[in-house]
Amino acid sequence: VIETAYERQIIKKVRKKLQAHIAGVEVPAYADPKLREFAGASYLVPMLWTHFIGVVRESDTNNGRVTFKDFCLILERVGITGLPEADFKTLFAIADTDKSGAVDWSEFASVMVTQAATN
């Protein structure tokens, strides 16, 4: 749950970076212009899942959860870079809803899709 103005500010930064990444999705020139919006929305979850599962497979723990280091690697791979480490730590804390010190897909998707992409 996002409670502070600082957390909302970080989510806004992440949202802008995700939207910029999605805006780069190529839509054929002959396609309906409305397709761009749909293409971006339908691209987000598979793109995040691909990077999440890729990092999980590369991880030493391989238990379906990612550590802070892995979390940062996923964000880097989807174009979320240039934030101070404190912002990444806060974003990880927001995602780690069960406070286990690791984030599973449902926690990751909740913050990245529900919070960052739609707020």
Side-chain angles (χ1 to χ4, degrees):
V1 176
I2 299 170
E3 298 178 359
T4 68
Y6 177 67
E7 291 172 340
R8 284 189 291 277
Q9 179 183 12
I10 292 169
I11 290 295
K12 284 181 181 180
K13 288 179 191 178
V14 169
R15 181 182 332 120
K16 284 182 180 181
K17 289 182 179 282
L18 279 176
Q19 289 171 343
H21 188 77
I22 290 169
V25 174
E26 290 188 30
V27 177
Y30 58 81
D32 184 327
K34 293 180 184 178
L35 182 61
R36 175 162 301 282
E37 183 177 327
F38 174 76
S42 64
Y43 171 76
L44 178 62
V45 173
M47 182 257 312
L48 290 172
W49 170 253
T50 298
H51 290 292
F52 182 89
I53 201 67
V55 168
V56 165
R57 287 181 179 148
E58 295 167 12
S59 175
D60 295 337
T61 57
N62 200 18
N63 62 3
R65 301 173 68 79
V66 295
T67 62
F68 173 71
K69 178 183 167 189
D70 296 334
F71 182 82
C72 292
L73 180 59
I74 296 167
L75 297 182
E76 179 183 311
R77 290 181 180 179
V78 299
I80 300 172
T81 59
L83 298 177
E85 186 174 345
D87 288 1
F88 285 114
K89 286 181 178 179
T90 300
L91 192 58
F92 184 80
I94 293 168
D96 186 15
T97 57
D98 65 2
K99 304 303 178 210
S100 66
V103 173
D104 64 20
W105 169 250
S106 65
E107 291 172 314
F108 182 79
S110 175
V111 74
M112 297 306 295
V113 177
T114 306
Q115 298 293 335
T118 60
N119 275 351

